[in-house]
Amino acid sequence: MATEPVSNSKAEAPSEMDKHIVRVLRQRVGKDERAAKQHDWYTASILALRDEIIEKWIDSTRRTYDSQGKRVYYLSMEFLIGRLLRDALSNMGMTREFEAALKAHGLDLAALEELEPDAALGNGGLGRLAACFMESLATLDIPAYGYGIRYVNGMFRQRVDDGWQVELPETWLAHGNPWEFERLESTYRIGFGGEVVAEGDGVFWHPAEQVEATAIDTPVVGWRGKRVNTLRLWTASPLDPIKLDAFNAGDHFGALAEQVRADSLVRVLYPADSSPAGQELRLRQEYFFTAASIQDIVRRHVQYLGDIRTLPEQAAIQLNDTHPSVAVAELMRLLVDENGLEFNEAWDICRRTVSYTNHTLLPEALESWPLPLFERLLPRHMQIIYAINSRVLREARKAGCSDAEISAISLIDENGERRVRMANLAFVGAHSVNGVAALHTDLMKKTVFADLHKLYPDRINNKTNGVTPRRWLQQCNPGLTSVIREAIGDGFLDDAEKLSDLNAFAADAQFGARVADVKRANKMALSDYIKKTMGIRLDPDALFDVQIKRIHEYKRQLLNLIETVALYDQIRSHPERDWVPRVKIFAGKAAPSYHNAKLVIKLANDIARRVNADPSVGGLLKVVFVPNYNVSLGERIFPAADLSEQISTAGMEASGTGNMKFALNGALTIGTLDGANVEIKDHVGDDNIVIFGLTAEEVAAKRASGYNPREVIDGSRELRQALSAISSGVFSPDDPDRYKDLIGGIYDHDWFMCAADFDSYAAAQRSIDARWEDMAGWHSATIRNIANVGWFSSDRTISEYAKDIWKVL
């Protein structure tokens, strides 16, 4: 009987981390290493890493208290943080240590990382920006708390059935979350409804109902573990979880009504607000998390520093868009009602403490609430808003504003149904109002806030968005990171702007080939993933043309699809031409009640079904809609993209951050002069980006001049044929009229300028084909994109906030 040879060398002793992980596995997971499954090792690994993080977390907190340092408080409805294990390991510098410890037990760290669910705490760019900002705050050693809601089911998990989006609940908390810590001592009662009564010299709000908000903390690790900050999310519970008398009387469901009411506050991100009940739930959610956060901030300040009047010197409260705007009224309530300050003094403290970031130029996205609803739910806050409004309007009148300007400045919209304007409340209640790209900020002054800007001309400023290079280069694209390190050293790991040293290699054929090899490997990895999950085979040597973002008409996935149909027709009509093989990749979620956006998803899948089954186009064109776009899927797609579609209607995208991630990973941008595309163009150079279409000024002029899209369509054969094919049912034979109204909107008004920009877009796409044929030129442009977008690091953005707005650097 054969036996294995006996080695003379001694078995390598287990490392300290190996022993620590095993100890955690046994004592906290309750498993012997011989019996442990992968999910047991996954949990043990996180808990072991968490032990290392906690020490730095406590040290960071102590340093802030000891120095009485000013804190930043970042209030956001979303924090799209993604998976944390790989991010925390990388930032703590412990990846190799954990890899070796787990390998000793036959385990692959990368496989364990795949077990972690994406935290369902956000949906799009707003939430991902907040996550990048939190990581950069810790990286720059700035004490900070992020405040939001601990959503149980997120927005939704997207499934595609027969081409249609189906919304399912996220279940990321089904097996618990090993990263979080419940803080029972940070529990606050949040009221709704009731009445306001005068008692002695004071005014007091007596809510008709209350819920408890309890803090759930997650550590946020900065680069090299220098600081660990806190993401504090609120969960809700009723004061009385069950009415036993009702339950025992047989009303089993009614007895749990308070539990359900509290639970609804933290179940779903952005519940549909097309019904009165949906609107009320959204307002309740926003006030719930904002009130808990403001109470927590004030409690901490008074507890440790005593004098509420010093709040602006110790706290900077940043409102991430309009969702937490009610913070202005809540802070005023606490200062006046709970701390006894005079209104004018409280107003001064509030404005010196609060700052507001605007993220949209869409009037419908600037939240407003029906006044009766707001006053019924938050009667004291309504009184405070009226008091603020009287001061602001008197100030406007004194400044010489016209009646029309005063009407636009007012916190109450008196036109039609009376509504409370939350963006105006945030604007007047803040000392700083910033846009998120140079163009966006300029348009804020001219459009949505023109009259407020006239009254407060020094308040609006620009802070162009950024992304963390740790997650969006080092972690998601280790191959490219390694090639860059070999070329220019490690300086860019600490300062992304040092990527500019790569400009010296832009014409280096050998370096270009190495970057191209990494790109192809990333494309193969994505192709394997799509083959495994969707059954679609992709050619990694084709041009990967990618548009991944929230589905919205202004982002113009429809324009991309119309051009895809036109290209499909051209390939079939002219097989003799040398067409560049393309893979069109789409991903993104549509809001559940957004009919046209969901129809665009269906159209993408209908086109994919027809094109991918047509042998006449062979391997020249593939179309893929990848379901359930989230952070982890983005980490697969960004490194694999050759072409980045940033094609929003000019003047409608605030900034965009996907454009930055693509460029950082070596994709060329095809885009309009919108959002941060303008600044990307300035940084990478005109020769390394492809710009098309109308400018924001030209879009506004067309809309104002009675633009007739039918004339444009009749003058463009390719556009006319593509629209006809879609609207007549070529791609929807089971329902020929499915897209009739969608395409009819382009003929009737073309608000998003799909027809107006089509010919320019199609010509830009053909110029991309020509560039692809020149691989040396393509590689050079790729390298110049990577080299010149280090400025778009969220570290730079946060340092600007810290110096100019928060005064903490």
Side-chain angles (χ1 to χ4, degrees):
M1 181 177 179
T3 59
E4 292 184 3
V6 178
S7 172
N8 292 325
S9 61
K10 294 181 179 180
E12 188 174 327
S15 66
E16 289 302 312
M17 184 54 66
D18 183 344
K19 290 188 281 188
H20 183 42
I21 293 173
V22 170
R23 187 163 56 249
V24 170
L25 180 71
R26 291 181 174 186
Q27 297 177 2
R28 292 156 70 184
V29 180
K31 282 290 187 76
D32 177 270
E33 57 267 36
R34 296 181 182 180
K37 306 301 182 187
Q38 277 213 329
H39 64 268
D40 299 315
W41 286 104
Y42 155 76
T43 302
S45 297
I46 289 180
L47 294 177
L49 174 60
R50 200 179 73 167
D51 289 342
E52 305 294 324
I53 292 170
I54 287 170
E55 294 302 317
K56 291 183 178 290
W57 198 7
I58 291 172
D59 175 68
S60 299
T61 303
R62 282 179 175 172
R63 281 194 286 123
T64 304
Y65 279 118
D66 291 344
S67 66
Q68 295 191 349
K70 188 175 185 178
R71 285 185 175 88
V72 173
Y73 297 108
Y74 197 83
L75 275 62
S76 180
M77 202 73 184
E78 305 180 39
F79 287 93
L80 197 58
I81 58 177
R83 293 167 171 167
L84 296 182
L85 177 54
R86 183 174 66 181
D87 183 65
L89 280 170
S90 176
N91 280 2
M92 289 286 287
M94 302 182 74
T95 302
R96 298 292 172 260
E97 192 175 354
F98 268 72
E99 281 180 342
L102 292 167
K103 188 176 181 181
H105 299 276
L107 296 161
D108 177 25
L109 174 60
L112 296 188
E113 290 170 348
E114 288 295 316
L115 297 178
E116 184 173 11
D118 270 52
L121 298 171
N123 172 44
L126 183 79
R128 186 52 236 172
L129 181 78
C132 285
F133 278 9
M134 287 301 298
E135 195 262 9
S136 282
L137 280 160
T139 293
L140 295 178
D141 200 20
I142 297 171
Y145 275 75
Y147 282 110
I149 293 178
R150 180 182 179 268
Y151 300 102
V152 176
N153 298 120
M155 187 162 140
F156 60 84
R157 176 169 57 87
Q158 182 191 59
R159 194 175 71 198
V160 175
D161 288 352
D162 191 30
W164 291 102
Q165 171 179 288
V166 176
E167 298 97 26
L168 301 170
E170 292 273 14
T171 55
W172 72 290
L173 291 172
H175 303 293
N177 178 8
W179 290 108
E180 63 187 22
F181 296 79
E182 186 176 32
R183 306 299 192 193
L184 294 177
E185 71 278 9
S186 297
T187 297
Y188 303 93
R189 291 194 173 186
I190 310 300
F192 299 98
E195 60 180 348
V196 180
V197 297
E199 296 179 7
D201 294 333
V203 174
F204 295 91
W205 175 30
H206 296 285
E209 58 176 285
Q210 291 182 310
V211 296
E212 284 192 337
T214 300
I216 307 290
D217 288 354
T218 298
V220 179
V221 183
W223 175 235
R224 300 198 188 279
K226 186 175 184 180
R227 170 172 286 278
V228 179
N229 279 329
T230 301
L231 176 59
R232 174 158 287 187
L233 305 176
W234 300 103
T235 189
S237 56
L239 303 187
D240 187 359
I242 183 171
K243 295 187 182 298
L244 277 175
D245 53 348
F247 191 88
N248 290 329
D251 185 10
H252 303 137
F253 294 107
L256 298 172
E258 294 304 309
Q259 177 68 54
V260 173
R261 193 190 303 268
D263 200 37
S264 67
L265 292 172
V266 297
R267 275 284 167 186
V268 176
L269 168 66
Y270 302 141
D273 59 357
S274 52
S275 67
Q279 287 185 33
E280 179 172 333
L281 179 55
R282 279 217 190 184
L283 178 55
R284 282 175 175 266
Q285 277 188 323
E286 291 179 9
Y287 177 67
F288 165 77
F289 105 83
T290 301
S293 304
I294 298 297
Q295 289 182 45
D296 195 47
I297 293 166
V298 170
R299 185 270 311 162
R300 182 178 298 109
H301 181 83
V302 172
Q303 179 179 341
Y304 290 99
L305 297 168
D307 186 0
I308 192 62
R309 290 174 173 83
T310 64
L311 184 66
E313 286 73 51
Q314 298 299 133
I317 299 174
Q318 186 74 39
L319 309 180
N320 192 29
D321 217 0
T322 55
H323 308 118
S325 296
V326 73
V328 172
E330 176 67 8
L331 181 55
M332 287 295 293
R333 183 185 74 83
L334 294 179
L335 294 174
V336 174
D337 296 357
E338 303 294 334
N339 288 273
L341 299 187
E342 292 295 327
F343 197 95
N344 289 338
E345 183 182 17
W347 184 232
D348 176 65
I349 290 171
C350 175
R351 290 212 284 192
R352 288 192 292 126
T353 305
V354 173
S355 48
Y356 159 55
T357 301
N358 172 270
H359 285 278
T360 183
L361 296 169
L362 302 179
E364 65 270 21
L366 296 175
E367 283 190 316
S368 64
W369 299 108
L371 193 146
L373 168 65
F374 195 98
E375 190 161 29
R376 174 170 60 82
L377 280 184
L378 303 171
R380 179 55 176 154
H381 300 76
M382 193 70 250
Q383 292 179 347
I384 291 170
I385 288 171
Y386 272 124
I388 294 170
N389 201 38
S390 68
R391 283 162 173 76
V392 171
L393 296 188
R394 284 198 300 270
E395 191 177 350
R397 179 65 72 193
K398 188 176 180 180
C401 293
S402 67
D403 289 346
E405 289 168 338
I406 287 175
S407 177
I409 288 168
S410 176
L411 308 188
I412 311 298
D413 185 354
E414 302 284 357
N415 300 312
E417 180 192 26
R418 300 175 74 205
R419 301 181 72 88
V420 183
R421 293 167 166 161
M422 302 309 289
N424 287 26
L425 175 63
F427 193 109
V428 302
H431 68 274
S432 165
V433 177
N434 73 279
V436 291
L439 175 63
H440 169 240
T441 300
D442 185 53
L443 291 173
M444 280 170 57
K445 298 175 181 178
K446 297 175 180 177
T447 58
V448 292
F449 293 132
D451 299 295
L452 281 163
H453 175 58
K454 181 179 177 182
L455 181 61
Y456 303 112
D458 299 325
R459 197 160 295 186
I460 295 178
N461 61 92
N462 180 59
K463 297 289 175 281
T464 298
N465 282 343
V467 301
T468 169
R470 270 74 61 182
R471 184 180 289 267
W472 296 113
L473 175 61
Q474 297 173 32
Q475 295 165 27
C476 76
N477 203 340
L480 180 58
T481 302
S482 178
V483 169
I484 294 171
R485 291 177 72 178
E486 291 175 18
I488 64 172
D490 290 353
F492 75 98
L493 299 176
D494 297 291
D495 180 0
E497 294 194 54
K498 290 185 178 178
L499 284 167
S500 60
D501 292 346
L502 285 175
N503 281 307
F505 295 85
D508 186 321
Q510 186 176 6
F511 183 75
R514 296 191 66 196
V515 172
D517 288 344
V518 170
K519 178 68 72 174
R520 191 178 189 281
N522 292 334
K523 291 166 72 174
M524 289 182 66
L526 178 61
S527 298
D528 290 345
Y529 173 82
I530 289 174
K531 178 68 168 64
K532 180 180 178 181
T533 57
M534 301 182 66
I536 299 173
R537 191 182 303 276
L538 305 181
D539 176 8
D541 293 316
L543 188 157
F544 278 24
D545 178 349
V546 183
Q547 189 174 19
I548 51 173
K549 55 184 69 215
R550 181 167 54 94
I551 309 297
H552 197 291
E553 286 168 284
Y554 86 81
K555 294 179 183 288
R556 299 203 295 191
Q557 286 91 352
L558 182 56
L559 173 61
N560 192 344
L561 290 168
I562 293 167
E563 199 279 330
T564 301
V565 170
L567 176 60
Y568 175 55
D569 285 342
Q570 288 293 306
I571 292 173
R572 293 190 301 169
S573 300
H574 298 283
E576 75 282 1
R577 296 180 184 172
D578 291 328
W579 296 100
V580 169
R582 279 201 189 222
V583 174
K584 288 273 193 177
I585 297 175
F586 297 86
K589 295 178 180 179
S593 58
Y594 194 168
H595 172 75
N596 277 5
K598 296 177 83 167
L599 205 56
V600 166
I601 292 175
K602 176 60 174 171
L603 176 60
N605 284 285
D606 279 348
I607 292 171
R609 186 176 62 246
R610 169 60 65 94
V611 170
N612 295 350
D614 189 341
S616 68
V617 297
L620 297 177
L621 184 62
K622 280 282 181 74
V623 181
V624 182
F625 184 93
V626 188
N628 203 40
Y629 179 52
N630 57 17
V631 175
S632 294
L633 184 56
E635 290 170 345
R636 295 179 185 274
I637 296 177
F638 285 114
D642 294 305
L643 186 65
S644 161
E645 298 269 357
Q646 308 300 327
I647 60 175
S648 54
T649 310
M652 300 193 75
E653 182 73 84
S655 168
T657 51
N659 45 8
M660 304 167 191
K661 296 164 193 166
F662 278 118
L664 186 60
N665 283 276
L668 268 61
T669 300
I670 180 170
T672 52
L673 286 174
D674 196 26
N677 292 354
V678 178
E679 288 152 283
I680 290 175
K681 171 178 172 289
D682 292 341
H683 280 80
V684 305
D686 292 357
D687 294 338
N688 303 303
I689 189 171
V690 178
I691 298 295
F692 74 93
L694 301 171
T695 64
E697 293 79 8
E698 289 167 342
V699 169
K702 263 195 179 297
R703 287 171 174 167
S705 65
Y707 160 59
N708 182 3
R710 289 180 182 271
E711 291 180 0
V712 174
I713 295 168
D714 289 342
S716 173
R717 186 168 61 88
E718 285 187 27
L719 173 60
R720 187 173 65 253
Q721 289 176 347
L723 293 178
S724 175
I726 295 169
S727 62
S728 66
V730 169
F731 297 93
S732 55
D734 57 320
D735 182 4
D737 292 335
R738 180 178 296 147
Y739 304 113
K740 188 174 182 180
D741 291 342
L742 184 68
I743 301 303
I746 297 177
Y747 276 91
D748 293 341
H749 53 78
D750 191 28
W751 181 255
F752 300 100
M753 300 290 153
C754 287
D757 275 350
F758 176 83
D759 283 348
S760 177
Y761 178 54
Q765 289 286 19
R766 301 294 72 78
S767 77
I768 292 290
D769 290 342
R771 296 183 71 136
W772 185 258
E773 297 286 5
D774 173 19
M775 268 296 139
W778 186 277
H779 293 163
S780 178
T782 289
I783 294 165
R784 292 198 185 280
N785 268 266
I786 300 166
N788 292 300
V789 294
W791 185 82
F792 295 94
S793 164
S794 50
D795 295 350
R796 186 268 315 157
T797 311
I798 286 298
S799 69
E800 291 180 2
Y801 275 91
K803 293 170 185 174
D804 301 340
I805 299 176
W806 304 328
K807 310 299 183 186
V808 293
L809 279 184

